[in-house]
Amino acid sequence: MHTGRFAHSIRRFGSRGVPTWFLLFVVLPTHSAAACEPDASGTASWEQEAQESVQVPPITDRAARFYRTGMTAWGLRVIVGFLVPTIILITGFSATLRRLSHRVTRGFSLGTKRQRELGVRFEFGAAVFAGLYATITALVLLPLEWYQFFYRHHEFGLSNQSFGRWFFETLMTFGLGTAVIMLIAPVVYFFLQASPKRWWLYTSVGAVVTILALRIVFPVWIAPLYDDFGPMQDQALEQEIIQLADRAGIDGSRIYEVNKSQDTEVVNAYVTGLLNTKRVVLWDTLLEKLSREQVLFVMGHEMGHYAMHHMWKIAGVTGLLVLFSLYVVQKTAGSLIAKFRDRFGFSQLSDYASIPLLVLMVSVVSAVASPLSLAYSRHLEKEADRFGLDITRDNHAAATTWLALQRENLSNPDPGFIYRTWRATHPVLKDRVRFANEYRPRGTEPTP
């Protein structure tokens, strides 16, 4: 299924300057069929249902308009995401923000006497600069934020959320994201000062640690700020899900139901957390609008992410993408600064006035690399679909799940090239239905 509230919130903040590879959580595809234990009793029913191919209905006019307006809003956010750092750089406003940040902090920094003599220190001005930059970008994007995530969803009947609650959650997302960036900025510029040639390597390691830390603390400390998590109301269905988890070889994961119907009509489920904080989350809208068999398939899909250790692979692959992006910055930023130093107002990458340049360059690399990373993400999701089919052996439920998603979320079953290449983290619905129709789950092969 689609990602949860955290990923949705971070994507929104990401459009303000965080690179795509940090947001997608892409992993290399690995399918472990041995992770689930088949039950041969389902073979006959599978053969009967597999013959009933599910057909994808054409997109409705309402869904087509929702898709077009969404693509327009996405395109505008991408353009603004490039324009904001570019304008701040070429107007010299970045140097002005640096002077303001320096005055606010009075040049306060941390470091040993020897480090200070070498010009190496944790500069709190970098944190203030990062906060000011994030605030400026957020204010520029606020009208588009309102249109894309509030007005548009109400216009198409997908949201029940009040403006006050939407604005509070938007403000909270901004505050949390900005706090993280303000903590990271002084560390990045400490690495730039201490090791001008290898800062990109140390920063990449720090990025992996940060991602893992966020994954661990999010379910316990952040997610409850947005939603109320509780046990499943349907205890009989919960027991079936637990039995499914046992067959998948998953121990210790928790299942939570979230009251999302107060905010949205959209259906969703997701996995989150690491170690002792791992959990599966179902929205009450999904439980209300999907059949029991469809819910079990969704759970099989989500369990696949756990059984194939996707969360840990995410950190490794994301780290490699961070490493590549920052290495490109290291190799190219110097020549740009040398050429435009008078216009930019700074002469070294280690000057925290270069934050907009870092954001711009990493965003460009991210845009170039995103088709490849998104392709890996789609492959991963297909493997989770395969896992769900292997463990539930219910092709018809799988195929009709995607039709329910198309109907309830106004999804486009066959989007265009731009969406497929630069936005689709999951296989498109038409392909998922086709796969559900054609795939033969493990253990259903006819006996020779």
Side-chain angles (χ1 to χ4, degrees):
M1 298 294 286
H2 291 274
T3 51
R5 174 69 192 180
F6 175 61
H8 173 66
S9 301
I10 292 297
R11 275 200 304 274
R12 289 165 62 181
F13 188 80
S15 62
R16 300 169 185 148
V18 179
T20 304
W21 42 253
F22 192 83
L23 315 175
L24 294 180
F25 303 146
V26 178
V27 301
L28 292 173
T30 303
H31 175 55
S32 175
C36 58
E37 299 175 1
D39 178 3
S41 63
T43 302
S45 61
W46 175 85
E47 291 176 346
Q48 179 180 358
E49 289 190 353
Q51 295 174 0
E52 303 173 4
S53 293
V54 175
Q55 302 301 313
V56 179
I59 187 171
T60 64
D61 290 340
R62 179 163 159 257
R65 286 189 291 112
F66 184 72
Y67 170 75
R68 287 195 299 269
T69 56
M71 288 297 295
T72 300
W74 171 81
L76 289 173
R77 294 179 75 94
V78 170
I79 292 170
V80 173
F82 286 120
L83 281 180
V84 169
T86 301
I87 292 173
I88 290 177
L89 283 170
I90 64 176
T91 60
F93 188 56
S94 188
T96 302
L97 286 177
R98 184 235 291 124
R99 289 192 293 271
L100 176 60
S101 301
H102 186 78
R103 284 200 297 268
V104 169
T105 60
R106 299 181 183 275
F108 182 67
S109 60
L110 292 177
T112 65
K113 181 178 179 180
R114 177 59 176 163
Q115 287 174 332
R116 290 173 181 270
E117 291 173 352
L118 295 174
V120 178
R121 54 197 179 274
F122 289 97
E123 297 187 81
F124 287 86
V128 174
F129 187 106
L132 290 173
Y133 176 80
T135 301
I136 291 169
T137 310
L139 289 174
V140 172
L141 280 169
L142 186 58
L144 188 56
E145 184 89 359
W146 168 81
Y147 170 75
Q148 186 174 5
F149 295 107
F150 183 79
Y151 175 81
R152 180 169 154 268
H153 279 235
H154 279 78
E155 179 186 11
F156 287 92
L158 294 179
S159 178
N160 309 314
Q161 193 174 46
S162 68
F163 176 81
R165 181 172 168 83
W166 170 84
F167 186 76
F168 175 76
E169 290 191 351
T170 299
L171 192 63
M172 185 164 54
T173 297
F174 164 75
L176 291 171
T178 301
V180 171
I181 289 179
M182 290 179 69
L183 290 172
I184 292 173
V187 178
V188 173
Y189 281 87
F190 176 85
F191 290 150
L192 272 162
Q193 296 166 5
S195 182
K197 293 184 177 180
R198 290 187 173 83
W199 68 273
W200 51 276
L201 179 61
Y202 304 140
T203 301
S204 300
V205 174
V208 173
V209 173
T210 301
I211 291 170
L212 289 175
L214 287 173
R215 278 286 186 176
I216 291 172
V217 305
F218 163 72
V220 178
W221 298 105
I222 300 177
L225 298 175
Y226 292 95
D227 298 309
D228 295 325
F229 292 81
M232 287 190 62
Q233 300 300 308
D234 188 338
Q235 295 185 359
L237 179 58
E238 182 180 27
Q239 287 303 311
E240 291 187 77
I241 294 173
I242 292 173
Q243 293 172 7
L244 198 67
D246 290 340
R247 289 216 306 274
I250 299 174
D251 297 319
S253 61
R254 301 173 180 86
I255 303 169
Y256 289 87
E257 181 176 334
V258 177
N259 178 21
K260 291 298 292 186
S261 55
Q262 62 178 332
D263 292 333
T264 183
E265 297 294 330
V266 172
V267 300
N268 197 9
Y270 61 93
V271 295
T272 186
L274 285 175
L275 301 176
N276 292 332
T277 68
K278 65 183 180 180
R279 58 194 59 187
V280 177
V281 178
L282 301 95
W283 289 6
D284 62 338
T285 52
L286 179 137
L287 294 170
E288 177 186 347
K289 298 178 180 182
L290 267 61
S291 69
R292 166 190 161 278
E293 292 78 13
Q294 290 169 339
V295 171
L296 289 175
F297 168 74
V298 169
M299 289 296 93
H301 169 98
E302 300 301 342
M303 291 170 190
H305 290 305
Y306 274 136
M308 294 182 282
H309 308 293
H310 289 167
M311 299 303 176
W312 293 104
K313 295 173 184 177
I314 284 167
V317 173
T318 302
L320 291 176
L321 292 169
V322 175
L323 189 71
F324 171 71
S325 297
L326 296 184
Y327 179 75
V328 171
V329 172
Q330 168 69 9
K331 289 300 183 181
T332 57
S335 59
L336 279 173
I337 294 173
K339 186 174 182 179
F340 299 105
R341 59 191 299 175
D342 293 336
R343 183 176 288 274
F344 290 170
F346 56 87
S347 58
Q348 299 181 58
L349 188 62
S350 58
D351 185 333
Y352 60 78
S354 67
I355 285 178
L357 180 63
L358 274 175
V359 169
L360 180 60
M361 295 187 69
V362 170
S363 296
V364 170
V365 176
S366 175
V368 173
S370 62
L372 180 61
S373 62
L374 285 166
Y376 277 117
S377 179
R378 291 191 295 272
H379 197 151
L380 168 66
E381 294 296 334
K382 183 175 180 178
E383 290 303 298
D385 287 350
R386 188 193 309 274
F387 188 97
L389 283 165
D390 281 340
I391 198 171
T392 64
R393 255 180 238 53
D394 197 336
N395 293 63
H396 188 265
T400 55
T401 294
W402 307 133
L403 297 192
L405 191 67
Q406 177 185 355
R407 179 184 67 250
E408 300 297 338
N409 295 359
L410 294 185
S411 301
N412 186 343
D414 191 18
F417 173 79
I418 293 178
Y419 185 96
R420 287 173 178 261
T421 306
W422 277 282
R423 292 193 66 189
T425 57
H426 292 59
V428 299
L429 288 177
K430 184 181 73 172
D431 295 339
R432 298 182 97 168
V433 171
R434 180 187 301 117
F435 181 72
N437 282 331
E438 297 175 354
Y439 179 68
R440 175 164 292 195
R442 188 172 63 89
T444 62
E445 297 84 355
T447 304

